[in-house]
Amino acid sequence: MTKRSRWRLVAAAIGLLGVALLTTYLLLRGPKVAVVQPTRGRVTETVVSSGRVLAPAEINLGTLVTSTVGEVFVEEGDRVHVGQLLIQLEDSEMVAALSQAEAALVQAKAGRFELTKLSEPAARSNLQAAAATLADAKRTLSESKSLFESSFGTRADYDAAATAHALAKAQHRAAQLQFEATGSAGSQALLTSAGIAVATAQVERMTAQLARTRIESPVDGVVLARYLEPGDAVVAGTKLLLLSRTGDTRLVIEPDERNLARLALGQPAIASAEAFPSERFAAVVQYIAPSVDLQRGTIEVRLAVPEPPEYLKPHMTISVEVTIGEHDDTLLIPRQAVRELASDAPFVLVVEDQHVVQRPVRIGMRGDERVEVLDGLADDAWLIADETSKVASGDRVRVAQPTLTAQE
């Protein structure tokens, strides 16, 4: 081997030794890790859920009579007001039936007029005449009896007077019954009153039936759907129109039941419609259902919208972010710096004396980017922020430069 070859071998050996020494040195120093320090500031915790716009009330208008559609005065999307005529059904048969009922009522009232103005006075007069005849027959009978008993009268005269008295008494009783029948509590009066009551009820029934041929709006609102056209035959129960009542706009969402303990009435929220994602409007939690949906594991939450935008329509899909809490001047760290955040034992990895140390922490509010640390971490701690870093407690590490801080 030449002298030059030997020097080349020595140089290669020295190079390999240097690489080995450098590698060993780097291994002893550990890998570089990105770190952050906690900061103090405000954290807002929210619950985000999708839902829809609720109509204040949806009203199905139907018919209570069997008829044919005459005219329809509204289209879908039209705004209507209370009492506005929406649909007119064919009513000619009901008009005729009402006229017939009104005529029967007039006839019944005429019968009462005849009773009170003619029959009752005539019965009274007949009773008075029968009473006078009875009194005369009674006097004649008394005289005939006295004459017969004193032998100045005949038996035939006495018998004739007795017969006349009995006849007058029967006529008086008949006149009295006739008079009582025409009185206010008599049978004729009761029958007449009953006839008037029946005729009046029939007029009222036909008036109500005729009114049902006019389909009027019971509320101020908007026509959501129209189910018929002029000429369609309808029967009782047929659905005609669907209205949405004008009123307070509300939203409904169904967040996971795990959020139930953190939701409360009066919490503010920000919402946006899927059709207008860049537009946002305020809402307030107004109602929390008393039970959880067994099938989906969700809880129904309704929100009031104090100032609804004009573009909101019933049943629109919306996204809602409910603010469930907010703290100022609290210790914050990035979400990615917390290991096992969803578990009951979250922890962080901190760098102390160039070694990794695992620290359990108690987490408070959880924002979109940062979380609140209630206990277990010093303000000046160095946290390993890279959640993908493959280091464990006890490992030696080097802090990458420059050092980052936990910002929003």
Side-chain angles (χ1 to χ4, degrees):
M1 180 181 293
T2 64
K3 185 176 181 179
R4 176 175 293 182
S5 298
R6 287 197 299 271
W7 278 109
R8 286 178 178 174
L9 290 174
V10 171
I14 293 173
L16 292 173
L17 178 62
V19 172
L21 291 173
L22 179 61
T23 301
T24 302
Y25 172 74
L26 293 176
L27 290 174
L28 290 175
R29 291 185 63 192
K32 285 186 177 182
V33 292
V35 294
V36 296
Q37 280 190 304
T39 59
R40 287 198 169 271
R42 171 182 295 182
V43 62
T44 300
E45 187 172 9
T46 60
V47 170
V48 179
S49 181
S50 60
R52 65 185 187 279
V53 179
L54 281 178
E58 290 187 356
I59 302 171
N60 283 302
L61 292 185
T63 176
L64 298 176
V65 297
T66 298
S67 185
T68 302
V69 178
E71 293 184 77
V72 183
F73 301 101
V74 292
E75 300 288 344
E76 293 181 354
D78 287 354
R79 292 191 172 275
V80 297
H81 57 268
V82 175
Q84 179 179 339
L85 180 61
L86 308 179
I87 299 171
Q88 177 64 61
L89 303 179
E90 174 59 40
D91 61 359
S92 57
E93 290 187 8
M94 295 181 188
V95 169
L98 176 59
S99 298
Q100 185 178 5
E102 290 174 339
L105 177 59
V106 171
Q107 185 177 13
K109 290 182 177 180
R112 184 170 63 181
F113 176 83
E114 180 181 357
L115 178 66
T116 57
K117 299 300 182 181
L118 299 176
S119 298
E120 193 273 340
R124 183 187 299 275
S125 177
N126 289 338
L127 179 60
Q128 292 173 348
T133 301
L134 177 61
D136 186 61
K138 185 176 181 181
R139 184 173 57 255
T140 301
L141 177 62
S142 178
E143 292 176 353
S144 296
K145 183 179 180 181
S146 297
L147 290 173
F148 177 72
E149 290 176 349
S150 61
S151 301
F152 290 102
T154 64
R155 179 73 184 187
D157 291 338
Y158 174 70
D159 290 342
T163 301
H165 177 264
L167 180 61
K169 188 175 182 180
Q171 291 175 341
H172 178 267
R173 179 57 181 164
Q176 188 175 33
L177 292 175
Q178 181 65 27
F179 176 72
E180 290 175 355
T182 58
S184 59
S187 59
Q188 291 187 27
L190 293 176
L191 287 173
T192 302
S193 297
I196 292 175
V198 170
T200 300
Q202 185 68 4
V203 169
E204 292 174 352
R205 187 177 77 85
M206 295 312 304
T207 300
Q209 287 289 90
L210 182 60
R212 288 171 179 170
T213 63
R214 292 175 52 88
I215 311 300
E216 300 178 349
S217 177
V219 297
D220 293 334
V222 178
V223 179
L224 296 182
R226 166 177 159 172
Y227 303 112
L228 76 167
E229 296 296 333
D232 288 349
V234 295
V235 297
T238 300
K239 186 186 295 185
L240 306 178
L241 297 172
L242 176 63
L243 302 183
S244 172
R245 185 180 66 189
T246 301
D248 296 335
T249 299
R250 296 177 298 163
L251 313 177
V252 60
I253 58 175
E254 295 183 350
D256 192 278
E257 63 177 302
R258 291 175 295 180
N259 298 302
L260 179 57
R262 299 183 293 171
L263 291 166
L265 299 179
Q267 289 175 333
I270 295 295
S272 63
E274 190 174 280
F276 301 88
S278 61
E279 303 289 336
R280 295 163 67 85
F281 54 92
V284 179
V285 175
Q286 186 180 57
Y287 167 82
I288 300 174
S291 62
V292 173
D293 188 296
L294 184 62
Q295 302 297 324
R296 292 179 291 179
T298 57
I299 183 75
E300 181 178 315
V301 177
R302 298 176 189 172
L303 302 97
V305 182
E307 297 181 3
E310 293 185 0
Y311 59 77
L312 277 190
K313 307 292 184 185
H315 309 304
M316 286 182 74
T317 301
I318 47 92
S319 178
V320 179
E321 185 176 354
V322 181
T323 299
I324 60 176
E326 190 173 61
H327 285 168
D328 288 321
D329 192 26
T330 190
L331 193 65
L332 304 175
I333 61 174
R335 290 182 69 98
Q336 65 268 23
V338 185
R339 269 67 171 176
E340 304 293 338
L341 180 59
S343 71
D344 295 331
F347 63 91
V348 295
L349 297 177
V350 299
V351 178
E352 295 180 0
D353 296 329
Q354 298 183 342
H355 286 80
V356 177
V357 179
Q358 180 174 315
R359 298 286 187 201
V361 290
R362 186 161 62 93
I363 301 299
M365 291 190 176
R366 308 181 186 197
D368 293 337
E369 301 292 335
R370 302 187 296 173
V371 298
E372 178 186 29
V373 178
L374 301 177
D375 191 24
L377 190 65
D379 287 23
D380 58 354
W382 296 103
L383 296 96
I384 297 177
D386 184 5
E387 58 186 351
T388 64
S389 179
K390 304 299 183 181
V391 295
S393 181
D395 290 351
R396 186 181 181 88
V397 294
R398 291 175 294 149
V399 175
Q401 298 294 334
T403 301
L404 303 176
T405 56
Q407 299 295 329
E408 285 274 17

